[in-house]
Amino acid sequence: MKIIIDQDRCVASGQCVMAADDVFDQRDEDGIVVLLNDDPPPGRLADVRQAALVCPALAITVED
């Protein structure tokens, strides 16, 4: 799995963090997404995909 984040598109909604808080976080100063783990275990695939789906700015891409 490859996770790509586009910080320029991020609108700091935090939906990704709620879906997979061990993979995504937000910068303190502006709430922009930060990738914590670019190689999460296979058991987290569904949550990472959910994070990408619920992102209102479509700032997260997941590739297999």
Side-chain angles (χ1 to χ4, degrees):
M1 168 185 356
K2 181 176 181 181
I3 304 167
I4 303 164
I5 58 171
D6 184 344
Q7 291 183 328
D8 292 332
R9 294 185 77 171
C10 180
V11 295
S13 73
Q15 298 299 310
C16 57
V17 177
M18 288 191 282
D21 64 353
D22 58 331
V23 179
F24 303 101
D25 199 359
Q26 293 176 277
R27 294 190 305 219
D28 289 335
E29 62 272 11
D30 57 7
I32 298 299
V33 65
V34 175
L35 185 61
L36 295 176
N37 185 353
D38 64 352
D39 190 24
R44 298 297 285 151
L45 177 61
D47 292 333
V48 172
R49 288 191 184 282
Q50 179 65 22
L53 287 172
V54 299
C55 177
L58 302 175
I60 302 168
T61 304
V62 179
E63 297 177 352
D64 289 323

PDB file of all heavy atoms in Angstrom, residues 23-63:
ATOM      1  N   VAL A  23      -2.165   6.510  11.666  1.00  0.00           N
ATOM      2  CA  VAL A  23      -1.572   6.734  10.339  1.00  0.00           C
ATOM      3  C   VAL A  23      -1.510   8.222  10.007  1.00  0.00           C
ATOM      4  O   VAL A  23      -0.547   8.684   9.400  1.00  0.00           O
ATOM      5  CB  VAL A  23      -2.362   5.969   9.250  1.00  0.00           C
ATOM      6  CG1 VAL A  23      -1.777   6.213   7.867  1.00  0.00           C
ATOM      7  CG2 VAL A  23      -2.400   4.476   9.562  1.00  0.00           C
ATOM      8  N   PHE A  24      -2.527   8.973  10.427  1.00  0.00           N
ATOM      9  CA  PHE A  24      -2.611  10.399  10.109  1.00  0.00           C
ATOM     10  C   PHE A  24      -2.661  11.246  11.375  1.00  0.00           C
ATOM     11  O   PHE A  24      -3.197  10.819  12.395  1.00  0.00           O
ATOM     12  CB  PHE A  24      -3.876  10.693   9.283  1.00  0.00           C
ATOM     13  CG  PHE A  24      -3.965   9.896   8.015  1.00  0.00           C
ATOM     14  CD1 PHE A  24      -4.774   8.786   7.942  1.00  0.00           C
ATOM     15  CD2 PHE A  24      -3.235  10.252   6.898  1.00  0.00           C
ATOM     16  CE1 PHE A  24      -4.873   8.036   6.782  1.00  0.00           C
ATOM     17  CE2 PHE A  24      -3.320   9.516   5.736  1.00  0.00           C
ATOM     18  CZ  PHE A  24      -4.139   8.404   5.668  1.00  0.00           C
ATOM     19  N   ASP A  25      -2.144  12.447  11.269  1.00  0.00           N
ATOM     20  CA  ASP A  25      -2.252  13.439  12.341  1.00  0.00           C
ATOM     21  C   ASP A  25      -2.417  14.788  11.663  1.00  0.00           C
ATOM     22  O   ASP A  25      -2.458  14.880  10.440  1.00  0.00           O
ATOM     23  CB  ASP A  25      -1.008  13.418  13.232  1.00  0.00           C
ATOM     24  CG  ASP A  25      -1.250  14.070  14.593  1.00  0.00           C
ATOM     25  OD1 ASP A  25      -2.364  14.561  14.853  1.00  0.00           O
ATOM     26  OD2 ASP A  25      -0.309  14.105  15.393  1.00  0.00           O
ATOM     27  N   GLN A  26      -2.519  15.826  12.471  1.00  0.00           N
ATOM     28  CA  GLN A  26      -2.647  17.182  11.952  1.00  0.00           C
ATOM     29  C   GLN A  26      -1.590  18.070  12.593  1.00  0.00           C
ATOM     30  O   GLN A  26      -1.291  17.919  13.788  1.00  0.00           O
ATOM     31  CB  GLN A  26      -4.032  17.751  12.263  1.00  0.00           C
ATOM     32  CG  GLN A  26      -5.144  17.054  11.517  1.00  0.00           C
ATOM     33  CD  GLN A  26      -6.495  17.579  11.939  1.00  0.00           C
ATOM     34  OE1 GLN A  26      -7.031  17.152  12.948  1.00  0.00           O
ATOM     35  NE2 GLN A  26      -7.033  18.502  11.158  1.00  0.00           N
ATOM     36  N   ARG A  27      -1.053  19.003  11.798  1.00  0.00           N
ATOM     37  CA  ARG A  27      -0.088  19.957  12.338  1.00  0.00           C
ATOM     38  C   ARG A  27      -0.796  20.844  13.348  1.00  0.00           C
ATOM     39  O   ARG A  27      -1.943  21.247  13.147  1.00  0.00           O
ATOM     40  CB  ARG A  27       0.498  20.835  11.223  1.00  0.00           C
ATOM     41  CG  ARG A  27       1.339  20.065  10.245  1.00  0.00           C
ATOM     42  CD  ARG A  27       2.105  20.950   9.304  1.00  0.00           C
ATOM     43  NE  ARG A  27       1.293  21.894   8.569  1.00  0.00           N
ATOM     44  CZ  ARG A  27       1.477  22.216   7.291  1.00  0.00           C
ATOM     45  NH1 ARG A  27       2.451  21.661   6.591  1.00  0.00           N
ATOM     46  NH2 ARG A  27       0.712  23.109   6.708  1.00  0.00           N
ATOM     47  N   ASP A  28      -0.095  21.149  14.425  1.00  0.00           N
ATOM     48  CA  ASP A  28      -0.675  21.984  15.475  1.00  0.00           C
ATOM     49  C   ASP A  28      -1.006  23.387  14.994  1.00  0.00           C
ATOM     50  O   ASP A  28      -2.027  23.956  15.365  1.00  0.00           O
ATOM     51  CB  ASP A  28       0.276  22.084  16.672  1.00  0.00           C
ATOM     52  CG  ASP A  28       0.375  20.777  17.440  1.00  0.00           C
ATOM     53  OD1 ASP A  28      -0.582  19.971  17.384  1.00  0.00           O
ATOM     54  OD2 ASP A  28       1.413  20.559  18.080  1.00  0.00           O
ATOM     55  N   GLU A  29      -0.147  23.951  14.169  1.00  0.00           N
ATOM     56  CA  GLU A  29      -0.325  25.356  13.793  1.00  0.00           C
ATOM     57  C   GLU A  29      -1.480  25.620  12.833  1.00  0.00           C
ATOM     58  O   GLU A  29      -2.079  26.693  12.859  1.00  0.00           O
ATOM     59  CB  GLU A  29       0.973  25.943  13.222  1.00  0.00           C
ATOM     60  CG  GLU A  29       1.482  25.290  11.951  1.00  0.00           C
ATOM     61  CD  GLU A  29       2.391  24.101  12.179  1.00  0.00           C
ATOM     62  OE1 GLU A  29       2.498  23.615  13.317  1.00  0.00           O
ATOM     63  OE2 GLU A  29       2.989  23.634  11.204  1.00  0.00           O
ATOM     64  N   ASP A  30      -1.815  24.641  11.968  1.00  0.00           N
ATOM     65  CA  ASP A  30      -2.880  24.922  10.997  1.00  0.00           C
ATOM     66  C   ASP A  30      -3.806  23.745  10.713  1.00  0.00           C
ATOM     67  O   ASP A  30      -4.729  23.859   9.920  1.00  0.00           O
ATOM     68  CB  ASP A  30      -2.275  25.432   9.683  1.00  0.00           C
ATOM     69  CG  ASP A  30      -1.273  24.461   9.068  1.00  0.00           C
ATOM     70  OD1 ASP A  30      -1.134  23.321   9.575  1.00  0.00           O
ATOM     71  OD2 ASP A  30      -0.614  24.850   8.088  1.00  0.00           O
ATOM     72  N   GLY A  31      -3.567  22.598  11.337  1.00  0.00           N
ATOM     73  CA  GLY A  31      -4.453  21.454  11.164  1.00  0.00           C
ATOM     74  C   GLY A  31      -4.260  20.656   9.892  1.00  0.00           C
ATOM     75  O   GLY A  31      -5.027  19.724   9.630  1.00  0.00           O
ATOM     76  N   ILE A  32      -3.260  20.977   9.104  1.00  0.00           N
ATOM     77  CA  ILE A  32      -3.015  20.271   7.845  1.00  0.00           C
ATOM     78  C   ILE A  32      -2.542  18.844   8.138  1.00  0.00           C
ATOM     79  O   ILE A  32      -1.791  18.592   9.073  1.00  0.00           O
ATOM     80  CB  ILE A  32      -1.976  21.027   6.982  1.00  0.00           C
ATOM     81  CG1 ILE A  32      -2.512  22.422   6.618  1.00  0.00           C
ATOM     82  CG2 ILE A  32      -1.602  20.248   5.727  1.00  0.00           C
ATOM     83  CD1 ILE A  32      -3.788  22.434   5.823  1.00  0.00           C
ATOM     84  N   VAL A  33      -2.981  17.905   7.312  1.00  0.00           N
ATOM     85  CA  VAL A  33      -2.678  16.493   7.497  1.00  0.00           C
ATOM     86  C   VAL A  33      -1.168  16.219   7.470  1.00  0.00           C
ATOM     87  O   VAL A  33      -0.422  16.844   6.725  1.00  0.00           O
ATOM     88  CB  VAL A  33      -3.392  15.631   6.427  1.00  0.00           C
ATOM     89  CG1 VAL A  33      -2.878  15.928   5.030  1.00  0.00           C
ATOM     90  CG2 VAL A  33      -3.256  14.150   6.737  1.00  0.00           C
ATOM     91  N   VAL A  34      -0.778  15.276   8.322  1.00  0.00           N
ATOM     92  CA  VAL A  34       0.598  14.793   8.388  1.00  0.00           C
ATOM     93  C   VAL A  34       0.526  13.266   8.357  1.00  0.00           C
ATOM     94  O   VAL A  34      -0.286  12.672   9.079  1.00  0.00           O
ATOM     95  CB  VAL A  34       1.298  15.248   9.682  1.00  0.00           C
ATOM     96  CG1 VAL A  34       2.684  14.653   9.793  1.00  0.00           C
ATOM     97  CG2 VAL A  34       1.352  16.759   9.765  1.00  0.00           C
ATOM     98  N   LEU A  35       1.342  12.645   7.543  1.00  0.00           N
ATOM     99  CA  LEU A  35       1.393  11.196   7.465  1.00  0.00           C
ATOM    100  C   LEU A  35       2.347  10.677   8.530  1.00  0.00           C
ATOM    101  O   LEU A  35       3.547  10.958   8.495  1.00  0.00           O
ATOM    102  CB  LEU A  35       1.848  10.763   6.070  1.00  0.00           C
ATOM    103  CG  LEU A  35       1.847   9.273   5.767  1.00  0.00           C
ATOM    104  CD1 LEU A  35       0.440   8.698   5.897  1.00  0.00           C
ATOM    105  CD2 LEU A  35       2.389   9.037   4.366  1.00  0.00           C
ATOM    106  N   LEU A  36       1.816   9.940   9.494  1.00  0.00           N
ATOM    107  CA  LEU A  36       2.619   9.404  10.589  1.00  0.00           C
ATOM    108  C   LEU A  36       3.276   8.076  10.220  1.00  0.00           C
ATOM    109  O   LEU A  36       4.370   7.774  10.680  1.00  0.00           O
ATOM    110  CB  LEU A  36       1.756   9.165  11.830  1.00  0.00           C
ATOM    111  CG  LEU A  36       1.137  10.369  12.495  1.00  0.00           C
ATOM    112  CD1 LEU A  36       0.248   9.913  13.648  1.00  0.00           C
ATOM    113  CD2 LEU A  36       2.220  11.314  12.987  1.00  0.00           C
ATOM    114  N   ASN A  37       2.585   7.285   9.430  1.00  0.00           N
ATOM    115  CA  ASN A  37       3.047   5.939   9.116  1.00  0.00           C
ATOM    116  C   ASN A  37       2.792   5.662   7.643  1.00  0.00           C
ATOM    117  O   ASN A  37       1.656   5.454   7.241  1.00  0.00           O
ATOM    118  CB  ASN A  37       2.313   4.919   9.998  1.00  0.00           C
ATOM    119  CG  ASN A  37       2.821   3.521   9.823  1.00  0.00           C
ATOM    120  OD1 ASN A  37       3.637   3.233   8.953  1.00  0.00           O
ATOM    121  ND2 ASN A  37       2.325   2.623  10.654  1.00  0.00           N
ATOM    122  N   ASP A  38       3.861   5.664   6.845  1.00  0.00           N
ATOM    123  CA  ASP A  38       3.680   5.438   5.408  1.00  0.00           C
ATOM    124  C   ASP A  38       3.647   3.958   5.048  1.00  0.00           C
ATOM    125  O   ASP A  38       3.520   3.595   3.886  1.00  0.00           O
ATOM    126  CB  ASP A  38       4.748   6.172   4.600  1.00  0.00           C
ATOM    127  CG  ASP A  38       6.151   5.662   4.875  1.00  0.00           C
ATOM    128  OD1 ASP A  38       6.336   4.847   5.788  1.00  0.00           O
ATOM    129  OD2 ASP A  38       7.067   6.097   4.157  1.00  0.00           O
ATOM    130  N   ASP A  39       3.726   3.085   6.046  1.00  0.00           N
ATOM    131  CA  ASP A  39       3.668   1.646   5.813  1.00  0.00           C
ATOM    132  C   ASP A  39       2.862   0.962   6.928  1.00  0.00           C
ATOM    133  O   ASP A  39       3.393   0.167   7.690  1.00  0.00           O
ATOM    134  CB  ASP A  39       5.085   1.067   5.740  1.00  0.00           C
ATOM    135  CG  ASP A  39       5.102  -0.371   5.269  1.00  0.00           C
ATOM    136  OD1 ASP A  39       4.149  -0.791   4.577  1.00  0.00           O
ATOM    137  OD2 ASP A  39       6.057  -1.084   5.611  1.00  0.00           O
ATOM    138  N   PRO A  40       1.566   1.283   7.017  1.00  0.00           N
ATOM    139  CA  PRO A  40       0.754   0.677   8.076  1.00  0.00           C
ATOM    140  C   PRO A  40       0.557  -0.815   7.825  1.00  0.00           C
ATOM    141  O   PRO A  40       0.666  -1.279   6.685  1.00  0.00           O
ATOM    142  CB  PRO A  40      -0.569   1.431   7.986  1.00  0.00           C
ATOM    143  CG  PRO A  40      -0.628   1.939   6.603  1.00  0.00           C
ATOM    144  CD  PRO A  40       0.781   2.181   6.176  1.00  0.00           C
ATOM    145  N   PRO A  41       0.260  -1.571   8.868  1.00  0.00           N
ATOM    146  CA  PRO A  41       0.046  -3.002   8.699  1.00  0.00           C
ATOM    147  C   PRO A  41      -1.174  -3.276   7.817  1.00  0.00           C
ATOM    148  O   PRO A  41      -2.099  -2.458   7.751  1.00  0.00           O
ATOM    149  CB  PRO A  41      -0.168  -3.509  10.126  1.00  0.00           C
ATOM    150  CG  PRO A  41      -0.452  -2.323  10.950  1.00  0.00           C
ATOM    151  CD  PRO A  41       0.115  -1.136  10.250  1.00  0.00           C
ATOM    152  N   PRO A  42      -1.190  -4.429   7.165  1.00  0.00           N
ATOM    153  CA  PRO A  42      -2.313  -4.764   6.270  1.00  0.00           C
ATOM    154  C   PRO A  42      -3.680  -4.692   6.948  1.00  0.00           C
ATOM    155  O   PRO A  42      -4.677  -4.373   6.296  1.00  0.00           O
ATOM    156  CB  PRO A  42      -2.002  -6.200   5.833  1.00  0.00           C
ATOM    157  CG  PRO A  42      -0.522  -6.323   5.969  1.00  0.00           C
ATOM    158  CD  PRO A  42      -0.143  -5.455   7.137  1.00  0.00           C
ATOM    159  N   GLY A  43      -3.735  -4.936   8.234  1.00  0.00           N
ATOM    160  CA  GLY A  43      -5.000  -4.873   8.953  1.00  0.00           C
ATOM    161  C   GLY A  43      -5.589  -3.473   9.040  1.00  0.00           C
ATOM    162  O   GLY A  43      -6.759  -3.302   9.378  1.00  0.00           O
ATOM    163  N   ARG A  44      -4.809  -2.470   8.717  1.00  0.00           N
ATOM    164  CA  ARG A  44      -5.276  -1.073   8.770  1.00  0.00           C
ATOM    165  C   ARG A  44      -5.728  -0.566   7.401  1.00  0.00           C
ATOM    166  O   ARG A  44      -6.167   0.570   7.268  1.00  0.00           O
ATOM    167  CB  ARG A  44      -4.172  -0.164   9.304  1.00  0.00           C
ATOM    168  CG  ARG A  44      -3.733  -0.484  10.714  1.00  0.00           C
ATOM    169  CD  ARG A  44      -4.843  -0.286  11.720  1.00  0.00           C
ATOM    170  NE  ARG A  44      -5.009   1.143  11.933  1.00  0.00           N
ATOM    171  CZ  ARG A  44      -6.154   1.721  12.280  1.00  0.00           C
ATOM    172  NH1 ARG A  44      -7.213   1.017  12.484  1.00  0.00           N
ATOM    173  NH2 ARG A  44      -6.224   3.016  12.437  1.00  0.00           N
ATOM    174  N   LEU A  45      -5.618  -1.406   6.379  1.00  0.00           N
ATOM    175  CA  LEU A  45      -5.957  -0.981   5.015  1.00  0.00           C
ATOM    176  C   LEU A  45      -7.362  -0.406   4.921  1.00  0.00           C
ATOM    177  O   LEU A  45      -7.574   0.644   4.317  1.00  0.00           O
ATOM    178  CB  LEU A  45      -5.796  -2.152   4.048  1.00  0.00           C
ATOM    179  CG  LEU A  45      -6.188  -1.884   2.599  1.00  0.00           C
ATOM    180  CD1 LEU A  45      -5.321  -0.775   2.007  1.00  0.00           C
ATOM    181  CD2 LEU A  45      -6.084  -3.136   1.766  1.00  0.00           C
ATOM    182  N   ALA A  46      -8.335  -1.060   5.532  1.00  0.00           N
ATOM    183  CA  ALA A  46      -9.723  -0.583   5.451  1.00  0.00           C
ATOM    184  C   ALA A  46      -9.865   0.807   6.073  1.00  0.00           C
ATOM    185  O   ALA A  46     -10.553   1.678   5.518  1.00  0.00           O
ATOM    186  CB  ALA A  46     -10.663  -1.569   6.130  1.00  0.00           C
ATOM    187  N   ASP A  47      -9.214   1.046   7.204  1.00  0.00           N
ATOM    188  CA  ASP A  47      -9.309   2.355   7.851  1.00  0.00           C
ATOM    189  C   ASP A  47      -8.608   3.437   7.045  1.00  0.00           C
ATOM    190  O   ASP A  47      -9.090   4.574   6.966  1.00  0.00           O
ATOM    191  CB  ASP A  47      -8.723   2.297   9.262  1.00  0.00           C
ATOM    192  CG  ASP A  47      -9.561   1.448  10.199  1.00  0.00           C
ATOM    193  OD1 ASP A  47     -10.781   1.329   9.986  1.00  0.00           O
ATOM    194  OD2 ASP A  47      -8.982   0.891  11.148  1.00  0.00           O
ATOM    195  N   VAL A  48      -7.481   3.094   6.440  1.00  0.00           N
ATOM    196  CA  VAL A  48      -6.762   4.067   5.614  1.00  0.00           C
ATOM    197  C   VAL A  48      -7.598   4.418   4.377  1.00  0.00           C
ATOM    198  O   VAL A  48      -7.714   5.585   3.996  1.00  0.00           O
ATOM    199  CB  VAL A  48      -5.373   3.534   5.221  1.00  0.00           C
ATOM    200  CG1 VAL A  48      -4.706   4.440   4.202  1.00  0.00           C
ATOM    201  CG2 VAL A  48      -4.490   3.390   6.465  1.00  0.00           C
ATOM    202  N   ARG A  49      -8.193   3.415   3.767  1.00  0.00           N
ATOM    203  CA  ARG A  49      -9.068   3.674   2.609  1.00  0.00           C
ATOM    204  C   ARG A  49     -10.275   4.520   3.025  1.00  0.00           C
ATOM    205  O   ARG A  49     -10.704   5.406   2.294  1.00  0.00           O
ATOM    206  CB  ARG A  49      -9.534   2.377   1.982  1.00  0.00           C
ATOM    207  CG  ARG A  49      -8.442   1.656   1.234  1.00  0.00           C
ATOM    208  CD  ARG A  49      -9.032   0.521   0.400  1.00  0.00           C
ATOM    209  NE  ARG A  49      -7.995  -0.249  -0.244  1.00  0.00           N
ATOM    210  CZ  ARG A  49      -7.343   0.128  -1.331  1.00  0.00           C
ATOM    211  NH1 ARG A  49      -7.606   1.286  -1.882  1.00  0.00           N
ATOM    212  NH2 ARG A  49      -6.425  -0.643  -1.862  1.00  0.00           N
ATOM    213  N   GLN A  50     -10.818   4.253   4.200  1.00  0.00           N
ATOM    214  CA  GLN A  50     -11.946   5.046   4.705  1.00  0.00           C
ATOM    215  C   GLN A  50     -11.531   6.504   4.902  1.00  0.00           C
ATOM    216  O   GLN A  50     -12.279   7.413   4.573  1.00  0.00           O
ATOM    217  CB  GLN A  50     -12.476   4.450   6.015  1.00  0.00           C
ATOM    218  CG  GLN A  50     -13.628   5.202   6.620  1.00  0.00           C
ATOM    219  CD  GLN A  50     -14.889   5.171   5.770  1.00  0.00           C
ATOM    220  OE1 GLN A  50     -15.062   4.293   4.927  1.00  0.00           O
ATOM    221  NE2 GLN A  50     -15.773   6.124   5.976  1.00  0.00           N
ATOM    222  N   ALA A  51     -10.331   6.706   5.418  1.00  0.00           N
ATOM    223  CA  ALA A  51      -9.827   8.067   5.600  1.00  0.00           C
ATOM    224  C   ALA A  51      -9.773   8.803   4.269  1.00  0.00           C
ATOM    225  O   ALA A  51     -10.142   9.976   4.175  1.00  0.00           O
ATOM    226  CB  ALA A  51      -8.452   8.036   6.255  1.00  0.00           C
ATOM    227  N   ALA A  52      -9.315   8.115   3.234  1.00  0.00           N
ATOM    228  CA  ALA A  52      -9.249   8.734   1.903  1.00  0.00           C
ATOM    229  C   ALA A  52     -10.648   9.050   1.380  1.00  0.00           C
ATOM    230  O   ALA A  52     -10.873  10.111   0.785  1.00  0.00           O
ATOM    231  CB  ALA A  52      -8.500   7.823   0.938  1.00  0.00           C
ATOM    232  N   LEU A  53     -11.587   8.149   1.627  1.00  0.00           N
ATOM    233  CA  LEU A  53     -12.957   8.352   1.144  1.00  0.00           C
ATOM    234  C   LEU A  53     -13.666   9.513   1.830  1.00  0.00           C
ATOM    235  O   LEU A  53     -14.441  10.221   1.198  1.00  0.00           O
ATOM    236  CB  LEU A  53     -13.777   7.079   1.337  1.00  0.00           C
ATOM    237  CG  LEU A  53     -13.480   5.926   0.404  1.00  0.00           C
ATOM    238  CD1 LEU A  53     -14.238   4.678   0.840  1.00  0.00           C
ATOM    239  CD2 LEU A  53     -13.843   6.288  -1.025  1.00  0.00           C
ATOM    240  N   VAL A  54     -13.421   9.697   3.125  1.00  0.00           N
ATOM    241  CA  VAL A  54     -14.145  10.740   3.861  1.00  0.00           C
ATOM    242  C   VAL A  54     -13.452  12.106   3.803  1.00  0.00           C
ATOM    243  O   VAL A  54     -14.014  13.090   4.281  1.00  0.00           O
ATOM    244  CB  VAL A  54     -14.405  10.347   5.328  1.00  0.00           C
ATOM    245  CG1 VAL A  54     -15.261   9.100   5.402  1.00  0.00           C
ATOM    246  CG2 VAL A  54     -13.121  10.181   6.110  1.00  0.00           C
ATOM    247  N   CYS A  55     -12.281  12.158   3.214  1.00  0.00           N
ATOM    248  CA  CYS A  55     -11.583  13.446   3.111  1.00  0.00           C
ATOM    249  C   CYS A  55     -12.360  14.382   2.184  1.00  0.00           C
ATOM    250  O   CYS A  55     -12.512  14.099   0.999  1.00  0.00           O
ATOM    251  CB  CYS A  55     -10.167  13.235   2.562  1.00  0.00           C
ATOM    252  SG  CYS A  55      -9.274  14.783   2.319  1.00  0.00           S
ATOM    253  N   PRO A  56     -12.854  15.500   2.703  1.00  0.00           N
ATOM    254  CA  PRO A  56     -13.658  16.399   1.868  1.00  0.00           C
ATOM    255  C   PRO A  56     -12.861  17.080   0.756  1.00  0.00           C
ATOM    256  O   PRO A  56     -13.440  17.500  -0.242  1.00  0.00           O
ATOM    257  CB  PRO A  56     -14.217  17.428   2.864  1.00  0.00           C
ATOM    258  CG  PRO A  56     -13.282  17.394   4.009  1.00  0.00           C
ATOM    259  CD  PRO A  56     -12.744  15.997   4.079  1.00  0.00           C
ATOM    260  N   ALA A  57     -11.561  17.150   0.907  1.00  0.00           N
ATOM    261  CA  ALA A  57     -10.726  17.806  -0.097  1.00  0.00           C
ATOM    262  C   ALA A  57     -10.053  16.810  -1.038  1.00  0.00           C
ATOM    263  O   ALA A  57      -9.336  17.204  -1.948  1.00  0.00           O
ATOM    264  CB  ALA A  57      -9.652  18.643   0.586  1.00  0.00           C
ATOM    265  N   LEU A  58     -10.305  15.517  -0.820  1.00  0.00           N
ATOM    266  CA  LEU A  58      -9.667  14.459  -1.613  1.00  0.00           C
ATOM    267  C   LEU A  58      -8.149  14.612  -1.612  1.00  0.00           C
ATOM    268  O   LEU A  58      -7.483  14.477  -2.636  1.00  0.00           O
ATOM    269  CB  LEU A  58     -10.220  14.455  -3.040  1.00  0.00           C
ATOM    270  CG  LEU A  58     -11.732  14.272  -3.159  1.00  0.00           C
ATOM    271  CD1 LEU A  58     -12.171  14.409  -4.601  1.00  0.00           C
ATOM    272  CD2 LEU A  58     -12.180  12.949  -2.569  1.00  0.00           C
ATOM    273  N   ALA A  59      -7.610  14.883  -0.437  1.00  0.00           N
ATOM    274  CA  ALA A  59      -6.182  15.119  -0.283  1.00  0.00           C
ATOM    275  C   ALA A  59      -5.383  13.839  -0.017  1.00  0.00           C
ATOM    276  O   ALA A  59      -4.168  13.889   0.088  1.00  0.00           O
ATOM    277  CB  ALA A  59      -5.938  16.117   0.856  1.00  0.00           C
ATOM    278  N   ILE A  60      -6.065  12.705   0.079  1.00  0.00           N
ATOM    279  CA  ILE A  60      -5.408  11.434   0.366  1.00  0.00           C
ATOM    280  C   ILE A  60      -5.673  10.456  -0.762  1.00  0.00           C
ATOM    281  O   ILE A  60      -6.822  10.265  -1.168  1.00  0.00           O
ATOM    282  CB  ILE A  60      -5.917  10.831   1.687  1.00  0.00           C
ATOM    283  CG1 ILE A  60      -5.678  11.798   2.849  1.00  0.00           C
ATOM    284  CG2 ILE A  60      -5.254   9.479   1.959  1.00  0.00           C
ATOM    285  CD1 ILE A  60      -6.385  11.412   4.115  1.00  0.00           C
ATOM    286  N   THR A  61      -4.608   9.849  -1.250  1.00  0.00           N
ATOM    287  CA  THR A  61      -4.708   8.818  -2.280  1.00  0.00           C
ATOM    288  C   THR A  61      -4.076   7.551  -1.741  1.00  0.00           C
ATOM    289  O   THR A  61      -2.999   7.610  -1.143  1.00  0.00           O
ATOM    290  CB  THR A  61      -3.976   9.252  -3.569  1.00  0.00           C
ATOM    291  OG1 THR A  61      -4.508  10.508  -4.010  1.00  0.00           O
ATOM    292  CG2 THR A  61      -4.131   8.222  -4.665  1.00  0.00           C
ATOM    293  N   VAL A  62      -4.736   6.433  -1.962  1.00  0.00           N
ATOM    294  CA  VAL A  62      -4.198   5.139  -1.534  1.00  0.00           C
ATOM    295  C   VAL A  62      -4.011   4.283  -2.784  1.00  0.00           C
ATOM    296  O   VAL A  62      -4.965   4.075  -3.545  1.00  0.00           O
ATOM    297  CB  VAL A  62      -5.140   4.434  -0.532  1.00  0.00           C
ATOM    298  CG1 VAL A  62      -4.574   3.095  -0.128  1.00  0.00           C
ATOM    299  CG2 VAL A  62      -5.386   5.312   0.672  1.00  0.00           C
ATOM    300  N   GLU A  63      -2.793   3.801  -2.968  1.00  0.00           N
ATOM    301  CA  GLU A  63      -2.487   2.925  -4.105  1.00  0.00           C
ATOM    302  C   GLU A  63      -2.023   1.580  -3.579  1.00  0.00           C
ATOM    303  O   GLU A  63      -1.341   1.520  -2.558  1.00  0.00           O
ATOM    304  CB  GLU A  63      -1.369   3.529  -4.965  1.00  0.00           C
ATOM    305  CG  GLU A  63      -1.738   4.852  -5.593  1.00  0.00           C
ATOM    306  CD  GLU A  63      -0.590   5.469  -6.369  1.00  0.00           C
ATOM    307  OE1 GLU A  63       0.543   4.950  -6.310  1.00  0.00           O
ATOM    308  OE2 GLU A  63      -0.829   6.470  -7.041  1.00  0.00           O
TER     309      GLU A  63
END
